[in-house]
Amino acid sequence: MPRTASLLAAALLVGVVAGPSALSAAAATPPDQAPAHMTTQHRNPALAAAIAGLPNADATAALVRVGGDEGVWQGSSGVRDLRTGRPADPGARFRAGSVTKVFTAAVALQLAAEGRLDLDRSARSYLPDLIPPSYEGVTVRQLLDHTHGIPAPDFPGTTVEEWYADRFRVHDPRDMVRSATSKKPEFAPGERQHYLNIGYTIAGLLIERVTGDSYEHQVARRVLHPLQLRDTYLPGKNPRISGRHNHGYQTMRLDDGTTGLRDVSVWGTTDGWAAGDIVSTTADLERFTHALFQGRIVRGPLLEELFTLPKAPDFRTGKPAAYSIGLSMKVLGGREVWGKTGGRWGYNAAIASTRDGSRTLVYSVNSTDAKGQDMNKVAEHLMVAVYGRP
């Protein structure tokens, strides 16, 4: 793995999961490498080059919005679906995966500002019927900054083909918490940082407990409606993307035994829930990013929680923590870039910004291996084109 890719991937972790028809892998690369469908606003050769040539082996489409004082650029490339080859829809909805965590963190911090949720109080004190005494020392803050030490829950299957066959299973968040907390802690609370979904699954349940309302309605009432994010929604048990969307594809073993691309646009996301199920557009996520960094969603001193890294080394590498409450940080092009990546099978997405909001980036890349160990090459090229190298 190239040094740039590994550094970016470590800094901006790409999460993911994922539908029906199978297509040959050869369909991802048209004969004679036909020019990709691309639309752009304002000239930016580096950004245009980053998304040129789609579909290819790495991605079938890309949607990009760059904003801030340093210039504005919008572009799209690739196809809406491989069967028809129609141009990618720039206004399409997509699965944003772990970008959901930023919305969950924002709601939790709003509740903290209202005195309804104490970041330094134990999570068990809010959910004594669900969190066992063995995790009594885990605080709400540690759930949100991934220093809780709770391991991931167990899910059936070990391969993408098995997960695909199980794509319509409905996962209950309480069952996921019970599965995780039935195991021994990975480390003492606050001792290390391990990026996992389970802390945000519990955070979603905390939001429901202290408000007496559903997690989905709280996100809508506190974030989506005030910002008029009309194309953003939480899908619940519906495995389909509502409205216009570009199809997502995943490389896997097909029914005839060959390896190729399968349309994975229809896939339940209840395993992600408050950690990773949101559906949005680049326009909505750009508006959300600007509002978040300007302090219009989380206000006052609690805004700094988004930009404060815990003093705990990474669980696996021992390197300094890279995740705050809701966001992650990496130095790119000599300056701090804060943001969050996410993914579900067929879709990688990200929001990113300099702390002062002078340079923002939102993208959706229809990756053909959205949960792969390496960062998607199109996404990597976009990040470097906008911010520079690590």
Side-chain angles (χ1 to χ4, degrees):
M1 183 176 182
R3 177 174 172 79
T4 299
S6 63
L7 287 169
L8 283 170
L12 298 165
L13 181 69
V14 179
V16 195
V17 191
S21 61
L23 297 161
S24 166
T29 306
D32 302 320
Q33 191 56 57
H37 300 287
M38 182 184 293
T39 62
T40 61
Q41 293 185 7
H42 308 294
R43 282 186 54 79
N44 190 312
L47 281 166
I51 61 172
L54 301 185
N56 62 21
D58 299 306
T60 58
L63 314 178
V64 186
R65 296 176 76 98
V66 176
D69 300 338
E70 297 180 16
V72 175
W73 189 87
Q74 297 174 27
S76 64
S77 181
V79 296
R80 192 174 307 186
D81 66 271
L82 291 175
R83 287 197 181 280
T84 67
R86 293 177 299 169
D89 182 348
R93 287 173 167 168
F94 52 83
R95 302 194 191 281
S98 287
V99 174
T100 309
K101 293 182 177 69
V102 192
F103 288 79
T104 304
V107 172
L109 291 174
Q110 284 187 9
L111 290 169
E114 296 166 10
R116 303 170 72 180
L117 199 59
D118 186 340
L119 297 180
D120 295 315
R121 184 175 163 184
S122 75
R124 186 170 188 267
S125 67
Y126 293 101
L127 296 168
D129 53 322
L130 188 60
I131 299 176
S134 55
Y135 288 99
E136 189 170 15
V138 174
T139 66
V140 175
R141 183 191 305 278
Q142 290 163 347
L143 292 176
L144 296 171
D145 68 12
H146 306 285
T147 61
H148 47 76
I150 303 172
D154 292 326
F155 292 104
T158 58
T159 67
V160 64
E161 292 81 12
E162 290 174 328
W163 298 324
Y164 173 77
D166 202 40
R167 65 194 180 279
F168 298 129
R169 179 190 291 265
V170 174
H171 300 268
D172 184 286
R174 291 163 185 80
D175 289 342
M176 290 191 286
V177 175
R178 293 187 187 101
S179 171
T181 58
S182 67
K183 307 174 190 180
K184 294 181 179 179
E186 293 184 323
F187 48 82
E191 185 180 90
R192 293 186 176 273
Q193 183 176 75
H194 188 188
Y195 178 87
L196 291 172
N197 282 349
I198 190 61
Y200 278 75
T201 302
I202 299 173
L205 294 171
L206 284 176
I207 289 168
E208 293 193 333
R209 181 61 58 89
V210 301
T211 63
D213 192 12
S214 72
Y215 161 78
E216 291 83 358
H217 185 252
Q218 283 293 305
V219 173
R221 185 177 76 81
R222 292 172 175 273
V223 182
L224 306 188
H225 294 163
L227 295 181
Q228 299 183 25
L229 305 183
R230 296 187 178 93
D231 287 316
T232 302
Y233 72 98
L234 297 156
K237 297 177 183 178
N238 186 353
R240 298 183 178 274
I241 302 174
S242 299
R244 297 151 44 198
H245 61 280
N246 301 314
H247 287 228
Y249 299 87
Q250 170 65 33
T251 302
M252 66 173 76
R253 188 179 66 255
L254 304 180
D255 296 339
D256 62 3
T258 64
T259 297
L261 292 179
R262 189 184 290 276
D263 189 327
V264 291
S265 309
V266 181
W267 194 316
T269 57
T270 54
D271 62 310
W273 193 49
D277 71 351
I278 208 163
V279 173
S280 191
T281 63
T282 56
D284 272 9
L285 288 182
E286 183 178 61
R287 184 180 302 174
F288 171 73
T289 302
H290 285 304
L292 183 71
F293 280 67
Q294 291 168 3
R296 293 192 286 117
I297 301 175
V298 179
R299 297 179 170 85
L302 284 169
L303 177 64
E304 290 308 309
E305 295 286 352
L306 294 166
F307 306 103
T308 303
L309 299 174
K311 298 183 186 304
D314 181 83
F315 176 57
R316 290 197 169 94
T317 67
K319 294 180 180 180
Y323 295 92
S324 63
I325 290 179
L327 301 176
S328 64
M329 189 279 288
K330 182 63 180 179
V331 177
L332 299 174
R335 57 183 171 176
E336 289 186 357
V337 177
W338 294 83
K340 189 71 192 74
T341 60
R344 303 291 300 184
W345 299 120
Y347 300 89
N348 283 147
I351 64 172
S353 180
T354 52
R355 178 66 180 85
D356 61 4
S358 61
R359 189 71 158 169
T360 65
L361 167 66
V362 175
Y363 68 70
S364 167
V365 174
N366 292 60
S367 170
T368 59
D369 189 18
K371 282 191 175 291
Q373 292 184 347
D374 295 348
M375 188 175 189
N376 179 273
K377 290 181 180 179
V378 177
E380 176 196 335
H381 294 158
L382 282 169
M383 201 69 74
V384 170
V386 174
Y387 294 111
R389 298 183 179 276

